Amino acid sequence: MSSLPLDIIADVLSRLPPKKLLCFRCVCKPWCHLIDSSDFMKLHLHKSIKSNTNQSLILKHSHLYWVSLDSLDLASEIDHPLMCYNHSVKLLGSCNGLLCICNIVDDIAFWNPSTRKHRVLPCVSLELRRYSGPSVCSLCLYGFGYDKVNEDYKLVRIARFRGIETSFVECEVKVFSLRRNCWKRIKDMPYVCGYPGTNGVFACGALHWVVSRNCTSEEFNRNGSSEEFNVVVALDLAVEDYNEVALPEFGDRNFNLEVGALGDCLCVVANYSNVQSDVWVMKEYGVKDSWCKLFSVMREQMRGLGRSLRPLGYSKGGSEVLVEQDKVNLFCKRDSGKNQRIADHEKNVKKRDDFLSEGFKLVL
């Protein structure tokens, strides 16, 4: 192997899973330097995405669990680096093998479960003075992604303020840059985020949320909810500005809209209560005509309540889609139109009162 050119060695090593690469770092100093280099990390990520390999599912109960997306066998517990009372953490997002996690006292860290390396973020405050009257922060949402232009991982925090004496809703937005290791406030989001615990979906260089344009509705302030959450807004991480995503034509029926990512594409799910759920994929980002209905799942094909679906990822061959239903059940949607049930989450990770799963590519 010592006689082989370094680029050939890099090509061979880039096809290996991360755990084996950690072992090969000990072979010799040149290999260690090669595997630790940023160019090799990019090569390994590129090959993982292109070959649809090295993908995993992260399950959350009181602990975090790891499952191979290829085999979907028994989950293995993974230990996170944050201190907390019962070892429980929130998963704020995942990107390129990194997880963004948070404990009960709002310590936040970027963490690579493969290498066990992590970075704790500096604290971020709320800017409490809003307009001329008192207000309250009623909701905080996050989004985690990669700024390819500036080669920077970024975390976005959206804090929703509601006026106590006046009719307004305002969303303060701050962005953490790993490269600069600091937070900064950007332009407020001119929309309203309304679903607690719904973090931004990263796809095509931007974070996406389902929002409402209704920022001053008295009904929203009174009830804390709105029936107008039918807009998908994108925050471009490179320029840190907002754009609305053109959506497909859904028809006139009422539905709940959810946003997700499938492969390298943005996707949306229209959940029609007690009828069906339609999964749409945007083949060319930003082009409305490129929306394609990937599949529909009828209510009678679902288990339990059947309120919502969330696509998690393609199989290695691309003929199946792993789908999460009601945050409880997993099944594969096949090209043939048939569903193959995988498991209830409870069977893999004991009894659970919460679940969150994210597919991610493992890199160093």
Side-chain angles (χ1 to χ4, degrees):
M1 290 288 286
S2 59
S3 61
L4 289 176
L6 198 59
D7 58 339
I8 300 297
I9 296 176
D11 183 70
V12 172
L13 293 178
S14 66
R15 303 170 190 271
L16 299 176
K19 288 186 178 181
K20 291 189 178 295
L21 286 175
L22 292 177
C23 297
F24 281 116
R25 290 177 72 253
C26 303
V27 171
C28 59
K29 286 185 178 180
W31 282 28
C32 181
H33 292 320
L34 170 65
I35 294 172
D36 288 345
S37 68
S38 59
D39 288 340
F40 181 82
M41 294 179 193
K42 294 175 185 176
L43 177 64
H44 186 268
L45 175 62
H46 173 74
K47 287 189 178 295
S48 295
I49 295 175
K50 187 175 180 179
S51 61
N52 204 19
T53 56
N54 298 326
Q55 297 187 82
S56 302
L57 195 65
I58 299 298
L59 310 178
K60 178 186 177 296
H61 178 36
S62 57
H63 294 67
L64 294 178
Y65 297 82
W66 176 92
V67 179
S68 170
L69 200 56
D70 292 332
S71 60
L72 291 175
D73 52 6
L74 192 63
S76 302
E77 184 179 336
I78 53 177
D79 294 323
H80 63 77
L82 291 181
M83 302 212 28
C84 50
Y85 171 70
N86 60 357
H87 209 68
S88 178
V89 292
K90 291 183 289 186
L91 187 55
L92 303 183
S94 63
C95 182
N96 296 347
L98 297 181
L99 297 180
C100 182
I101 57 176
C102 175
N103 63 14
I104 195 170
V105 295
D106 291 333
D107 294 327
I108 301 174
F110 292 168
W111 173 46
N112 189 327
S114 178
T115 64
R116 307 295 181 182
K117 294 181 180 179
H118 73 281
R119 170 83 67 86
V120 177
L121 278 58
C123 296
V124 56
S125 61
L126 294 171
E127 298 182 19
L128 299 178
R129 185 173 178 81
R130 326 301 304 177
Y131 293 112
S132 58
S135 62
V136 60
C137 180
S138 57
L139 178 69
C140 276
L141 297 178
Y142 292 86
F144 176 53
Y146 182 65
D147 174 2
K148 186 176 181 180
V149 174
N150 299 298
E151 298 185 341
D152 193 8
Y153 287 93
K154 294 181 177 180
L155 177 67
V156 176
R157 190 200 67 182
I158 303 173
R160 189 185 74 190
F161 289 86
R162 295 174 54 204
I164 297 176
E165 298 175 351
T166 59
S167 177
F168 76 88
V169 180
E170 180 182 352
C171 289
E172 172 195 285
V173 182
K174 290 190 175 182
V175 179
F176 174 80
S177 162
L178 181 61
R179 181 177 287 274
R180 297 192 303 268
N181 194 36
C182 66
W183 290 89
K184 74 170 183 178
R185 183 175 175 181
I186 64 172
K187 181 174 66 175
D188 288 357
M189 179 181 283
Y191 305 90
V192 175
C193 297
Y195 300 112
T198 305
N199 293 312
V201 172
F202 179 69
C204 305
L207 288 165
H208 304 80
W209 291 268
V210 176
V211 298
S212 170
R213 296 191 187 96
N214 195 350
C215 295
T216 58
S217 168
E218 292 183 1
E219 179 182 353
F220 184 90
N221 279 274
R222 183 170 62 252
N223 299 328
S225 63
S226 172
E227 296 179 354
E228 299 179 4
F229 290 94
N230 54 8
V231 177
V232 173
V233 64
L235 173 58
D236 188 313
L237 291 181
V239 298
E240 296 177 351
D241 200 6
Y242 311 98
N243 293 289
E244 286 189 21
V245 177
L247 297 176
E249 300 296 334
F250 296 112
D252 298 329
R253 292 182 295 169
N254 292 328
F255 60 89
N256 293 323
L257 182 65
E258 296 188 34
V259 64
L262 200 50
D264 294 329
C265 298
L266 182 71
C267 74
V268 293
V269 183
N271 293 303
Y272 300 92
S273 179
N274 297 321
V275 180
Q276 70 185 64
S277 293
D278 296 339
V279 178
W280 295 76
V281 173
M282 192 179 231
K283 297 292 187 179
E284 185 177 351
Y285 187 73
V287 179
K288 181 176 181 178
D289 292 341
S290 69
W291 281 109
C292 172
K293 185 188 290 188
L294 191 62
F295 59 83
S296 297
V297 180
M298 306 305 295
R299 173 64 184 83
E300 54 268 23
Q301 295 178 286
M302 304 182 195
R303 291 172 52 87
L305 297 176
R307 290 176 177 173
S308 66
L309 292 181
R310 186 163 69 112
L312 299 179
Y314 289 107
S315 64
K316 188 172 182 179
S319 60
E320 299 177 337
V321 177
L322 181 64
V323 179
E324 176 195 56
Q325 181 215 316
D326 293 335
K327 299 185 178 181
V328 175
N329 300 310
L330 293 177
F331 67 87
C332 281
K333 182 68 178 178
R334 294 176 166 174
D335 284 346
S336 62
K338 296 182 179 180
N339 300 337
Q340 178 188 4
R341 179 169 167 263
I342 301 298
D344 295 335
H345 298 325
E346 287 84 350
K347 291 185 178 181
N348 268 343
V349 289
K350 305 177 184 178
K351 183 179 179 182
R352 62 174 66 255
D353 51 16
D354 183 27
F355 173 79
L356 181 63
S357 63
E358 296 288 343
F360 64 97
K361 314 292 189 301
L362 288 178
V363 295
L364 292 175

